[in-house]
Amino acid sequence: MVERQSALKPRSGCLAVVDLDGTYLRQNSLRIFLRCALEQALADGKPTMVARLVIKAALRKLRLITHARMKFDMLSAIALTDKLKDRFRARALACINPRIAAELDKFWNDGGRVLLATAAADMYVPLIWEGKYVATAMVDNPDRLESRGTRKLAAVIRYANDNNLRITDVFTDHADDLPLMANAGADRVVLVNPSAATIAAANMAGVKNLTVWTD
C-alpha cells in the first residue's frame, strides 16, 4: 500500500480550473471570433451576413440590447465554415498566455486534471482547447443562459464530483468568477492581470489563498 501511494504523481486527484478570456487567452475570444466571422463574410461576399453582424454590434454599442442578446443573436447567425475555423484558430492561439499555458502543462504532467470553465460559446471553444471544458451552450439552451457566476460554479463542482477530483487551483482574471473563487475550496486562487476593482472585490468576498500574477 505504501509503495502504491509513493508511485502516485503529486497532483493525482487534483483539479485546476482555468477561465478563458483574459486568463488562458490574453484577449476576449468572442471579440476575436466575431471579428473573424465579419472578415470571412466580407471575403466570401456575403453582404447579408455582414449587415446582420454590424447591426447587432451597433445595437449593443447603443445599449439597446444586452450583451447576452447580442452574443446569442450574432453567433446563431454565423455559419461555422472550415475557413472561419482556420481563421479563428490562428488568431486565438496567438493570444495564449504562455505563463498560464506552462503552469497548466506542469499541473497536467504532475498528474493533475485541467478544466476550462468559461462563459464563451461551446461552438468555438473546442477549436482552441483540446481538454475538458464547461462553456455556454448554443443549442438546447432555450433560456439562453450563460455559463458564468453560480452556474459556472455548479458545473465545475459537478465535473469535479463526477470524476472524484478536488478543486485545488483556480485561474481567472475577473470578478465574474467570485462564486468560483470564494466557494470552490481551492488551495490557490490566481488572479491573472486583474483590475484593481477585481482585486478589491475578491478581498471583500473573503477569497482565501489569493495570488496575483501580472505580466
Side-chain angles (χ1 to χ4, degrees):
M1 186 66 165
V2 174
E3 290 180 355
R4 179 174 296 179
Q5 288 180 339
S6 65
L8 292 175
K9 290 187 175 182
R11 289 291 191 170
S12 295
C14 297
L15 178 66
V17 182
V18 60
D19 182 39
L20 179 64
D21 300 327
T23 305
Y24 184 69
L25 296 184
R26 293 182 183 277
Q27 296 185 26
N28 182 284
S29 62
L30 179 62
R31 292 196 189 102
I32 297 172
F33 185 78
L34 293 178
R35 189 175 298 116
C36 289
L38 180 60
E39 292 172 358
Q40 195 62 54
L42 288 168
D44 292 341
K46 296 181 177 180
T48 301
M49 175 66 69
V50 172
R52 291 180 70 178
L53 296 178
V54 170
I55 289 171
K56 291 296 181 181
L59 290 174
R60 174 55 188 156
K61 190 170 185 178
L62 293 170
R63 298 185 180 276
L64 296 176
I65 59 175
T66 65
H67 172 81
R69 170 74 183 277
M70 178 203 72
K71 175 179 178 176
F72 278 94
D73 284 357
M74 294 178 82
L75 292 179
S76 63
I78 294 170
L80 194 58
T81 64
D82 288 340
K83 288 182 180 180
L84 175 54
K85 289 178 182 178
D86 291 342
R87 184 185 292 265
F88 170 70
R89 186 182 293 111
R91 194 80 55 86
L93 292 180
C95 297
I96 290 176
N97 185 320
R99 184 177 184 183
I100 299 300
E103 186 72 8
L104 297 179
D105 284 344
K106 183 178 184 302
F107 193 93
W108 182 268
N109 290 333
D110 284 343
R113 302 274 287 276
V114 178
L115 178 70
L116 181 75
T118 177
D122 62 358
M123 70 182 289
Y124 63 72
V125 166
L127 299 176
I128 55 175
W129 180 262
E130 296 181 355
K132 300 293 184 180
Y133 64 88
V134 294
T136 296
M138 294 306 296
V139 297
D140 296 326
N141 187 2
D143 294 327
R144 293 186 162 187
L145 299 176
E146 293 186 281
S147 177
R148 68 171 72 246
T150 55
R151 281 188 291 273
K152 180 193 282 192
L153 171 65
V156 169
I157 291 177
R158 184 165 55 249
Y159 176 86
N161 290 340
D162 288 347
N163 290 276
N164 297 314
L165 299 169
R166 185 173 74 86
I167 301 167
T168 59
D169 297 73
V170 171
F171 299 86
T172 185
D173 72 304
H174 203 276
D176 281 353
D177 281 328
L178 276 176
L180 182 62
M181 289 188 270
N183 298 294
D187 298 334
R188 179 175 63 152
V189 175
V190 179
L191 289 178
V192 181
N193 296 319
S195 65
T198 293
I199 296 173
N203 287 327
M204 288 182 64
V207 175
K208 299 178 181 179
N209 307 314
L210 191 65
T211 300
V212 176
W213 285 2
T214 57
D215 294 339

